[in-house]
Structures are given as C-alpha cells and as structure tokens.
Amino acid sequence: MKLTVAEKIIKKHLVKGEMNKGEGIGLKIDQTLTQDSTGTMAYLQFEALGIDRVKTKRSVAYIDHNTLQAGPENADDHLYIQSIAKKHGIYFSKPGNGICHQVHLERFGVPGETILGSDSHTPTAGGIGMLAIGAGGLDVAVAMAGGEYYIDMPKIVNVKLTGKLKPGVSAKDIILKVLEICSVKGGVNKIFEYSGEGLKSLTVPERATITNMGAELGATTSIFPSDEVTYEFLKAQDREEDFTELKADKEAKYDEEIEINLNELKPLIACPHSPDNVVKVKELEGKKVNQIAIGSCTNSSYMDLMKVSNILDGKTISEDVSLVISPGSKQVLNMLAENGALAKLVSAGARILECACGPCIGMGQAPNTNGVSLRTFNRNFKGRSGTTSADIYLVSPEVAAVSAITGVMTNPLDYDYDLDVKMPEKFLINDNLIKAPAEAENDVSIVRGPNIKPFPETKALENEIEGNVLIKVGDNITTDHIMPSNAKLLPYRSNIPYLSEYCLTPCDENFPKRAKENDGGIIVAGTNYGQGSSREHAALAPLYLGVKAVIAKSFSRIHKQNLINNGILPLCFLDESDYDDINLLDKLVIKDLLTQIDNDFIILKSKDKEYKLKLTITDRQKEMLLAGGLLNLIKSN
Ligand code: MIC
Ligand code: SF4
C-alpha cells in the first residue's frame, strides 16, 4: 500500500486497531513534553499512576508559561516540576531556556518519531517530520507511564504548495491562508500534510510556524516530510545523527487536497476574535495600532527575529506604539546578542521580554482599554490578552515590524527591506539550562508548595443523570472561555477549587454560583465547543462544580477527550435544531444510561419533551466513562 508521511509514522507506531479512517487507534509514544501551566496537574496524575521512571525514549518538562512571579505560587510549581523531573527520568528545561515548542524543535525533535505534549501547539514538531499531537495532561501522564495514546484514525489533507514566497510574505501567511479556507473547525480529526515544490524554500522553523498554527484548525496535527531542508537544520543544530528521510510515496492517496500558489500569496491578518477571520493586510492599511507583540511559539525563531531586526535597523518605533519582543529560546536570544541584532532592536525602542510565552497567554503586556494590538501569535480569542475590550490581530513578524515603525497597519510589500535572512550553518549550542534527570536509583525528594491541591475525584457512571441547564453558550466557545488563564489565574493551575470560581465567567459571571446552587448540572453549547488549548482544567473545573454532561452541536477533539478522561459525558444533538428548544435552568433527565449507552442514540427528557442525543465514542472511551474517567479505568485494570 502507498502511504503518506503521516500514515508511515502511524503504521510504525500502531499498537491497537487498524488504520481505517474514523476508527480508534492506539499509538506508541516515543517522546513527551509538558509545560508548567499544564505540567503540575500532569505530574500529579503521573504520581497517581505509581510509576518510578518514564518509559518513553525522551520526556522533557519545560517551564515557559507561568514565568511572572507575582507571588510564590508559580515558583513553587516550578520547584515541584523540577523535583519530579529529576526523580522520574525527565529532562528539565529551566525558566529562561525558552518556549517548549521552539526549544523542542531545536534540541530534541526527531523525524519519524511520535510526540505527545500537554499543550495544543505540540504539532509544532510536525515541522521537523514528527507525528506531534497535543493532549490533556492525564493522557501525557499515561504516555510517560508507557501507555499508548488513542485517536480516531484521521483523514489526511494534502496541502500542496507551489511557487515561492516573495520577500515580505511569510510562512505565517501560508497558515493564515489555510485557516481562511478551512476555518477553526475545519480540521477536526484530520492531519494536514504539506507537499509540493514550494517546500524546498521553507526552512524547518518556517515549516514549524505552519504546523504550530495548524492547531487553530482543530486538526489532530500537521506534518512536513523530512528532507534535505530537515537535514540542514539538524546539522546546524549539531544533531545530524537524528536525521532520517521521510517522504510520502508517489502514489499515496489523500482524502482531500488544497493547493496554494506561494507566488500569489499576499500578507494576511486574522481579525478579532478568531484566527480564521482572515483578510489581506491591504484591506486594513492605515488602521492605528497601540501595541505590537512579537514572539510566541509561532513566530519567535532566529530567522523571524533577524527579519524584524533588519526592518528596525536604524529606525525608531512610532511614538504611539509599544513594541514588545519575546525571543523563542535562549539559543535565539544568545545569537541575536552575539551578532548585534539585539542592539538594533533595543535601539529602535523594542522592550525585550524573557524567552517565554509571556503576552501570548496574558502573562503581562495586556493592551490598553479598547486597544488595538498586532501580534505574531496564534490565538486572538476575546479577553485572552488580559484586556477584554482590546482587539487583537494576528500577523507575520514582517507586518508587525513594519507597522511598529509607521504606527498603523502596514503592508511590508510596499517597502524594500532586506528580508533575505539565511538559516545559519551552525546555531549557537549551549544546553546548560537543560538538566538531565538523576540516575535510576535515587532519593530525590519532591517539593510540594502549599498551592498544590489534589485533583477532583471522579465516580463511576450513574444509571440516571438529572440536572438543570447551568448555561447555554453559542458556537466556537474556547477553553479560554471555559477556564480563563490570565496573569491572575494562571498561578492557580494546581488549585482546582480556586480556579473553579472563574469557570465560564467570560460567558456568564454567575456560572460558578449557579452551578453550586443547583448542585451541579448540564452545559448546553453550539458547535466546536472547547476549541483551543489542551488545558484539562476546562474539564476539571466543571467536574469540581458538579457538571455531569455537556450537550453540544459538536466538540473539539482535545476537549472532548479531556471531558471523557474526567468522566463527563460529551453528548451531541442528533437534530441540531433541538439546541434552540432548550433553555437556561430547564430540568433535563437521562434515564437508564447504562443501557442507553449501547444504543444508537440516547433519549433525553425535559419537562414536556424528548430529545435524541448521540454519544460518538470508541469502546475504550466507553470503558473510561463507565469507570468514571481514565485514571479510575487504569487503576481498576
Ligand atoms: C495556550 O496557548 O492556550 C496554552 C496556554 O499554551 C495552552 C496550554 C494551557 O492552557 O496551559 C495550550 O495551547 O494547550
Ligand atoms: Fe505559549 Fe502562546 Fe505557544 Fe501557548 S500559544 S505555548 S501560550 S507561546
């Protein structure tokens, strides 16, 4: 059989099921990554599994999200993760070493291997030819313990790139184009595999910009082949030995195809408040900008920041603009410092932040009231920046840098900057902030700060579910709505009781109170419920508040699994128009659930009506729900 790149990796890692589209498959996981905002919970769950040493080829714990330390909570969590990593065989990347996805690409990514990460942008490593998937912390904990990871065998979309990008148009514009075509829900249960002659001119960090933001399609992952370009990157990182060639067979069959001619692509911009709300920069030219933020796991590579430095060289940023730059890694920052590019950025007026997620997750640099912020990031959901009234636009580093000078949205194609930045033959390699774990036999003691609270317990599925509708929300509700993560809340990622007080408050500030008054209940939602982050806190906080089921038109892949992992039923309307019928505080009942779970549909009753619901789950997911979540299932086995 002729296979695509993704299918070749899946075939090699298949431990359960058959590669039939839509059917559940279990994959062996070679590598894992965690970051600190999901990591504390993931390691508490890993501890609950009672395994001494990780069973993966490589597991890395990064500290990059919670790096503002306004109180002891974040620092305490860092120490917890550091001690866990040392004890259990996990590499530890210290705060300051950079954003997990950027550092992983530089120092650990291996073409042809699988990686599971407790962050939705783990597919970044698809840029180096890995099968890289984002998941909730519990799934990553299980993978560290040697368990396989389950997905539905995805459809494969071939994104064929022809031609070559013009200077001023960049990899970011390619993925914005794909988002414009497919939308934020167009990628669910699909893998986007890139091919065509256009690939040759895209370096690994540029490919990684594309696979990174493929997460915004809701895709299972995105992937590039591993070719000469991949080899050059690995060689420049002193890691030639990690290279293997990986190409799709000539007659490989794809389920869908998209073609993008790079010659014709123009600079694009995603408008508030969704990454697929894409127009040409030209259409917004001249619009006043208050803040510009360059960085994030999408656009903070050496090449990105060299282009920015070339544009800002000898200039001063506009009087009315605040420009902040967070380099993706210590390697990037160090190289910019050594070659003088950093001095150009500073002298133009950029405020240099540490190598971390920073403003991307609202950890500082919230814009002014009603502010307009241009960001090279991947998400512009309302309120995520820390300022609810702000309008966030997503752009390439080129658009961001040129606009920083003019103070208004500006098309880089109208200017003549030196944007021909070559990938260096050797990157600066200094892994002194990556700490190897202790030897197998060790007596490392675990440091636990007072902010670390146990995660909520789950119960086996009950035969009858009864509850009031606690909230009714619309389409595309993100995990940033369900469990907001601004600078005030992110420090409490290991404290679910505290976090639950803020659950769904961006949609309805009374939700937590109502959930408590009603002794838990049911959430009703539109399409693509739970898009965005992999944070399982968006399931744990509702669980803590007594939510038993979410009834939606459709779900995002990671959030649906997080609900199941925590014993919450993800139900869909068989007839979507029933959504209109159900109202806040309606009393809903599902009887005989333990029998109904095996039926084609499930009957839900309100006071005067019956509705049909679908529960689209695999046999394994059914076992999880019956057991009351993944951890219970594993313990019972
Ligand atoms: C994000 O970009 O939303 C995050 C913060 O990186 C999340 C992880 C989290 O919520 O901790 C993600 O993408 O999964
Ligand atoms: Fe960090 Fe932002 Fe990337 Fe999430 S999207 S990993 S917050 S840089």
Side-chain angles (χ1 to χ4, degrees):
M1 199 179 144
K2 304 294 177 197
L3 299 176
T4 75
V5 173
E7 285 169 344
K8 285 186 183 182
I9 306 181
I10 291 175
K11 187 168 175 218
K12 222 169 145 197
H13 292 81
L14 194 69
V15 280
K16 292 271 165 61
E18 308 265 335
M19 288 169 58
N20 301 328
K21 303 284 145 99
E23 280 178 28
I25 53 171
L27 297 174
K28 180 178 167 15
I29 297 300
D30 298 317
Q31 300 195 355
T32 62
L33 73 76
T34 58
Q35 38 86 342
D36 47 324
S37 68
T38 54
T40 315
M41 203 46 79
Y43 292 115
L44 287 171
Q45 289 159 333
F46 179 77
E47 284 188 290
L49 293 172
I51 306 277
D52 278 350
R53 302 282 290 184
V54 290
K55 304 266 194 294
T56 44
K57 285 190 187 167
R58 171 90 70 196
S59 285
V60 189
Y62 292 93
I63 306 290
D64 56 0
H65 279 61
N66 302 341
T67 57
L68 272 188
Q69 291 164 218
E73 294 84 4
N74 287 337
D76 285 358
D77 281 3
H78 298 174
L79 289 176
Y80 167 72
I81 295 176
Q82 181 162 11
S83 60
I84 283 277
K86 190 163 190 177
K87 186 173 181 68
H88 295 290
I90 301 157
Y91 284 76
F92 180 72
S93 173
K94 292 188 70 172
N97 197 43
I99 306 175
C100 53
H101 309 302
Q102 173 69 24
V103 177
H104 210 86
L105 199 68
E106 293 168 356
R107 307 307 303 142
F108 296 112
V110 178
E113 291 196 351
T114 51
I115 175 170
L116 194 71
S118 64
D119 190 280
S120 65
H121 290 104
T122 304
T124 313
I128 201 167
M130 295 190 88
L131 190 82
I133 306 179
L138 178 53
D139 284 314
V140 177
V142 170
M144 287 190 282
E148 56 274 0
Y149 179 64
Y150 289 83
I151 52 170
D152 291 341
M153 177 67 201
K155 290 191 175 159
I156 318 271
V157 182
N158 179 14
V159 189
K160 210 167 146 196
L161 304 179
T162 59
K164 191 169 182 269
L165 292 172
K166 285 196 267 306
V169 187
S170 77
K172 182 62 158 278
D173 300 307
I174 301 179
I175 185 61
L176 286 174
K177 187 75 201 168
V178 180
L179 273 154
E180 184 188 34
I181 299 170
C182 299
S183 91
V184 290
K185 50 180 189 251
V188 179
N189 292 333
K190 292 179 188 167
I191 293 180
F192 286 69
E193 184 167 319
Y194 289 80
S195 71
E197 31 123 2
L199 252 54
K200 282 199 299 279
S201 57
L202 293 173
T203 61
V204 166
E206 288 169 302
R207 295 173 177 192
T209 293
I210 297 169
T211 54
N212 170 284
M213 208 174 167
E216 273 51 70
L217 296 161
T220 303
T221 190
S222 303
I223 191 166
F224 277 80
S226 170
D227 56 11
E228 319 68 57
V229 175
T230 322
Y231 176 77
E232 288 308 319
F233 178 79
L234 280 168
K235 190 163 144 231
Q237 291 284 357
D238 240 348
R239 300 203 287 124
E240 296 101 298
E241 70 284 0
D242 286 337
F243 177 73
T244 9
E245 192 182 57
L246 197 62
K247 289 188 174 155
D249 293 327
K250 276 217 173 62
E251 299 84 24
K253 286 212 171 36
Y254 296 88
D255 299 286
E256 288 169 37
E257 189 166 302
I258 297 172
E259 191 168 323
I260 298 176
N261 183 345
L262 303 185
N263 296 324
E264 287 168 9
L265 205 62
K266 298 278 185 305
L268 298 173
I269 182 164
C271 303
H273 300 283
S274 183
D276 61 356
N277 195 4
V278 175
V279 300
K280 293 196 183 72
V281 171
K282 221 141 196 67
E283 290 175 38
L284 292 178
E285 234 170 3
K287 189 177 165 61
K288 202 167 160 21
V289 175
N290 305 105
Q291 183 197 52
I292 297 189
I294 298 177
S296 91
C297 54
T298 317
N299 276 125
S300 58
S301 69
Y302 171 78
M303 265 92 82
D304 280 339
L305 297 192
M306 282 305 291
K307 284 187 208 163
V308 172
S309 159
N310 286 358
I311 293 173
L312 293 180
D313 190 4
K315 307 276 190 322
T316 299
I317 58 164
S318 157
E319 183 180 347
D320 297 326
V321 159
S322 161
L323 169 66
V324 292
I325 301 181
S326 20
S329 68
K330 173 166 153 267
Q331 179 181 79
V332 171
L333 180 57
N334 231 340
M335 288 176 72
L336 298 178
E338 289 208 344
N339 73 11
L342 182 63
K344 293 178 189 166
L345 297 174
V346 172
S347 114
R351 300 161 66 183
I352 306 297
L353 307 178
E354 68 176 316
C355 307
C357 300
C360 178
I361 186 56
M363 291 301 263
Q365 309 306 325
N368 55 300
T369 306
N370 300 326
V372 171
S373 179
L374 274 193
R375 300 178 161 209
T376 67
F377 307 167
N378 47 39
R379 289 185 174 147
N380 58 349
F381 307 141
K382 194 174 174 64
R384 179 175 160 103
S385 66
T387 303
T388 320
S389 68
D391 278 342
I392 310 295
Y393 293 80
L394 306 173
V395 292
S396 68
E398 289 89 330
V399 174
V402 179
S403 305
I405 301 168
T406 59
V408 294
M409 293 185 189
T410 305
N411 185 355
L413 294 185
D414 296 339
Y415 293 81
D416 189 21
Y417 292 109
D418 172 18
L419 293 172
D420 187 24
V421 175
K422 296 264 176 309
M423 200 185 69
E425 272 174 30
K426 271 274 164 281
F427 286 95
L428 189 157
I429 292 153
N430 175 355
D431 289 332
N432 63 354
L433 291 189
I434 298 175
K435 302 297 168 192
E439 296 298 318
E441 292 296 318
N442 66 69
D443 55 3
V444 178
S445 53
I446 303 300
V447 186
R448 269 174 238 277
N451 183 44
I452 300 183
K453 303 278 184 268
F455 48 87
E457 302 229 331
T458 49
K459 288 199 290 279
L461 193 67
E462 288 169 9
N463 195 32
E464 181 171 319
I465 284 186
E466 189 187 293
N468 291 345
V469 175
L470 300 173
I471 191 168
K472 183 176 173 185
V473 290
D475 293 343
N476 293 322
I477 291 299
T478 73
T479 51
D480 281 293
H481 292 99
I482 307 171
M483 200 53 263
S485 276
N486 52 37
K488 295 194 189 84
L489 291 181
L490 212 52
Y492 295 94
R493 280 295 185 89
S494 46
N495 185 343
I496 299 297
Y498 183 88
L499 274 189
S500 70
E501 296 294 328
Y502 298 86
C503 182
L504 275 162
T505 49
C507 300
D508 178 348
E509 59 180 25
N510 291 319
F511 175 78
K513 190 163 154 263
R514 193 177 306 121
K516 280 189 224 153
E517 283 168 2
N518 285 275
D519 204 14
I522 292 169
I523 293 173
V524 173
T527 54
N528 200 25
Y529 180 73
Q531 69 158 324
S533 154
S534 68
R535 65 188 71 141
E536 60 197 335
H537 306 73
L540 289 168
L543 172 72
Y544 183 80
L545 292 171
V547 171
K548 298 174 185 123
V550 181
I551 308 176
K553 291 185 185 169
S554 67
F555 289 91
S556 82
R557 180 188 68 87
I558 304 180
H559 186 61
K560 179 177 171 187
Q561 187 60 54
N562 283 338
L563 290 173
I564 296 174
N565 284 353
N566 290 292
I568 300 177
L569 285 165
L571 295 157
C572 288
F573 294 102
L574 196 66
D575 175 355
E576 286 192 2
S577 67
D578 286 344
Y579 167 89
D580 303 325
D581 223 50
I582 295 180
N583 295 309
L584 189 68
L585 293 178
D586 279 359
K587 187 170 174 180
L588 303 176
V589 189
I590 301 175
K591 290 204 156 79
D592 296 324
L593 186 53
L594 299 179
T595 318
Q596 287 216 65
I597 198 166
D598 290 317
N599 298 350
D600 289 344
F601 50 82
I602 290 178
I603 302 284
L604 170 83
K605 290 186 181 157
S606 70
K607 200 165 90 229
D608 42 19
K609 252 186 126 166
E610 276 191 10
Y611 305 94
K612 287 181 184 164
L613 303 175
K614 281 182 295 188
L615 180 61
T616 316
I617 48 171
T618 60
D619 289 345
R620 184 179 154 83
Q621 287 173 325
K622 186 175 114 190
E623 281 182 58
M624 276 182 219
L625 284 171
L626 290 173
L630 177 55
L631 212 51
N632 285 359
L633 178 68
I634 293 178
K635 281 186 188 154
S636 71
N637 288 341

